[in-house]
Amino acid sequence: MSSSVTSKKVQPNYSFSTSFIANKVIAITGPTNGIGKAFVYRLINEKKQENKPRKIIIISRNAEKLEKLRNDIVTTGGMECTVYVCDCGVQKEVLQICDEIMQKENQLDCLVSNHGTFCPKSKKQVVKGDDPYEIH
């Protein structure tokens, strides 16, 4: 009995629908570079207004980049946007920002946890609460 296996080359499909966040409030960490930035601009460039989120909350440690991105979201995307400056690799800052968001925002429907943290190999001792992987 002989069996032949044929392989079919699969072409990636990089398009996706944003309808799952239509009229929602979403928070995005790490939106100023890489995948997070691409995701934000995908939302900004969404042609169908009904597929856009009602509000975007952007969280990153670079205030200057956040402000530029906020301006693009508001002017080009036509969406409401709130900025929070936070280093997501520092648990104390994350907890403080979470408290602040919970107090100021009425609603949060979606969190895109996209931030990156750097933990050098030379770090011999990890103090409880400082481990970047604990925050995920």
Side-chain angles (χ1 to χ4, degrees):
M1 214 186 211
S2 157
S3 68
S4 64
V5 176
T6 59
S7 63
K8 181 181 175 187
K9 190 169 186 175
V10 177
Q11 295 297 321
N13 179 359
Y14 296 113
S15 64
F16 64 93
S17 171
T18 56
S19 62
F20 70 99
I21 53 170
N23 205 28
K24 304 285 187 198
V25 176
I26 66 169
I28 305 170
T29 63
T32 57
N33 293 304
I35 293 170
K37 187 174 185 177
F39 183 68
V40 169
Y41 279 97
R42 172 66 175 90
L43 297 175
I44 288 172
N45 295 319
E46 174 60 56
K47 291 178 182 14
K48 296 179 182 176
Q49 187 63 36
E50 65 271 10
N51 281 356
K52 289 188 178 190
R54 183 173 61 76
K55 180 178 186 177
I56 297 178
I57 298 167
I58 52 176
I59 306 161
S60 184
R61 62 182 166 212
N62 188 317
E64 187 176 310
K65 287 183 179 182
L66 280 171
E67 193 54 37
K68 181 186 179 313
L69 186 58
R70 188 196 72 75
N71 288 335
D72 285 348
I73 291 168
V74 172
T75 58
T76 307
M79 294 172 279
E80 186 181 343
C81 180
T82 304
V83 168
Y84 290 95
V85 178
C86 173
D87 182 346
C88 291
V90 179
Q91 187 180 32
K92 190 180 275 187
E93 287 187 36
V94 172
L95 294 174
Q96 182 180 347
I97 287 297
C98 286
D99 287 342
E100 195 174 324
I101 290 171
M102 288 174 63
Q103 289 174 6
K104 290 183 180 179
E105 307 296 333
N106 310 350
Q107 169 186 357
L108 181 60
D109 299 299
C110 177
L111 170 64
V112 179
S113 182
N114 177 64
H115 64 278
T117 57
F118 175 70
C119 186
K121 288 183 180 182
S122 64
K123 189 174 183 179
K124 302 248 188 256
Q125 181 184 15
V126 175
V127 179
K128 178 119 177 90
D130 288 342
D131 182 0
Y133 297 103
E134 277 189 5
I135 61 176
H136 292 290

